[in-house]
Amino acid sequence: MELSLPRLRMLRELHRRGTITAAATALHYTASAVSQQLAQLERDVGAKLFERLGRRVQLTDLGVLLADHAEEILTSVERATLALEEASESISVRLTAGVWASVASGLLPAALTALATTHPGIEVRTRELAPEDTAGAVRDGALDFSFVIDYANYPMPWDPGLERAVIAVERLYAAVPAGAVPAASVTLPELADHPWILPGSRSHFGHAARLACQSNGFEPRINHEVEEQSTALAMVSAGLGVTLVSDLGLALRPPGVDVVALGDALTRTVSVAYRTRSARRSALHLVIDAVRTAAAEKGLGAHAPLALP
């Protein structure tokens, strides 16, 4: 009997998620492709591995047994990959990272340029996702690592199957139309009467900003709900309201926007998340070092471990 690693991966995801559709989404396949491959896995094994219960698929006892072994097999493959990387004279590996706009524009260019000089065998590809979605994509194996955010007033829930390395600590500022706030600093309550431009409350940033305003005694009057920081800053430039912007987001600031320090300081921590049993730890650590150096050169370095919530 010869077992296919891709099919075992599909079996593992089906066991974790319970539906073909969810497994296909996690692995970036179509549901029909996953269904066909799992049917082939049953033929390879010569035994029934699944039972349909309404819209869900339940593994038989043999299916669960094989899924448990699949976890061990795939982990062993990752360890073998790691051993080969460490044994080679130079690391050669391709990594896929989850990013968002301010990290992609503010940290990665310098970090990846330096990495290409010191370790040309490491290729980093990026996929832009909402910050609150990146850790889940790492956990599911769609990404090798991702950048994640913890706001001082709203830390993210943490998955024990992931590790994180702190990269930077950013301050948040008020971004206001030019001339709207003549002082060198402003408090959030002093912005209470302005219209606000924020992401939706389901986003990590949008929720953290709302919590900050609420803890200062007011509910922000949100006239424009937009997800992209660059769009929000363009609307501030047009005089449509105020928003918050981080250190890395300052690179996206257009003309006509004043950045004003907040008297009630707000911060957020940027970290890299990766799987605890990642097969590419050596290459990951080199990437993390490069990004940390880029953050330190911008005055945002942070090397202390982040306390888990």
Side-chain angles (χ1 to χ4, degrees):
M1 180 189 305
E2 185 173 340
L3 296 176
S4 158
L5 290 179
R7 289 172 192 149
L8 289 179
R9 231 174 244 113
M10 292 176 184
L11 177 67
R12 179 177 67 178
E13 290 305 319
L14 178 61
H15 188 37
R16 287 176 174 177
R17 300 169 191 285
T19 69
I20 298 263
T21 299
T25 299
L27 294 169
H28 302 284
Y29 285 101
T30 64
S32 62
V34 171
S35 183
Q36 291 170 14
Q37 290 301 309
L38 289 175
Q40 182 59 51
L41 180 61
E42 278 193 321
R43 292 192 289 271
D44 293 342
V45 173
K48 190 171 181 60
L49 301 177
F50 324 102
E51 294 176 338
R52 287 198 173 273
L53 297 176
R55 299 179 65 184
R56 296 182 65 83
V57 176
Q58 179 173 299
L59 270 63
T60 63
D61 290 344
L62 281 175
V64 171
L65 177 66
L66 184 56
D68 290 341
H69 282 288
E71 188 72 52
E72 296 178 13
I73 291 167
L74 294 169
T75 299
S76 295
V77 170
E78 289 186 349
R79 288 174 178 163
T81 303
L82 173 62
L84 289 172
E85 286 178 3
E86 292 179 338
S88 65
E89 293 183 2
S90 62
I91 295 177
S92 180
V93 66
R94 176 184 295 167
L95 301 172
T96 303
V99 301
W100 62 90
S102 61
V103 162
S105 60
L107 285 182
L108 282 187
L112 297 186
T113 297
L115 192 68
T117 300
T118 57
H119 298 283
I122 300 177
E123 179 185 354
V124 177
R125 296 187 173 186
T126 60
R127 184 179 302 158
E128 187 171 353
L129 298 172
E132 53 272 16
D133 294 336
T134 56
V138 174
R139 181 194 62 232
D140 297 339
L143 300 174
D144 294 298
F145 69 96
S146 70
F147 292 87
V148 295
I149 301 175
D150 282 280
Y151 289 87
N153 65 336
Y154 184 43
M156 66 179 289
W158 197 248
D159 188 323
L162 300 180
E163 293 186 31
R164 61 177 153 182
V166 177
I167 297 298
V169 174
E170 296 185 87
R171 295 149 296 185
L172 294 177
Y173 306 88
V176 304
V181 176
S185 67
V186 67
T187 65
L188 285 175
E190 290 171 334
L191 297 172
D193 292 333
H194 289 263
W196 281 74
I197 304 164
L198 288 174
S201 59
R202 295 182 63 182
S203 78
H204 211 55
F205 175 39
H207 191 66
R210 285 166 174 80
L211 285 178
C213 294
Q214 291 161 4
S215 66
N216 279 274
F218 72 98
E219 192 73 38
R221 174 166 54 92
I222 301 169
N223 281 12
H224 303 283
E225 193 171 284
V226 298
E227 301 303 319
E228 293 295 332
Q229 180 90 90
S230 57
T231 304
L233 291 172
M235 297 179 85
V236 172
S237 175
L240 300 180
V242 302
T243 192
L244 299 179
V245 62
S246 70
D247 282 300
L248 290 176
L250 295 179
L252 305 172
R253 176 178 51 155
V257 175
D258 286 346
V259 174
V260 184
L262 287 173
D264 34 7
L266 293 173
T267 61
R268 71 182 194 179
T269 301
V270 179
S271 304
V272 164
Y274 56 98
R275 289 185 296 281
T276 300
R277 293 184 294 182
S278 172
R280 298 175 170 86
R281 292 177 72 93
S282 297
L284 275 169
H285 290 167
L286 291 171
V287 174
I288 289 168
D289 286 344
V291 179
R292 274 183 173 155
T293 298
E297 289 173 349
K298 289 181 173 289
L300 307 176
H303 299 285
L306 186 65
L308 297 179

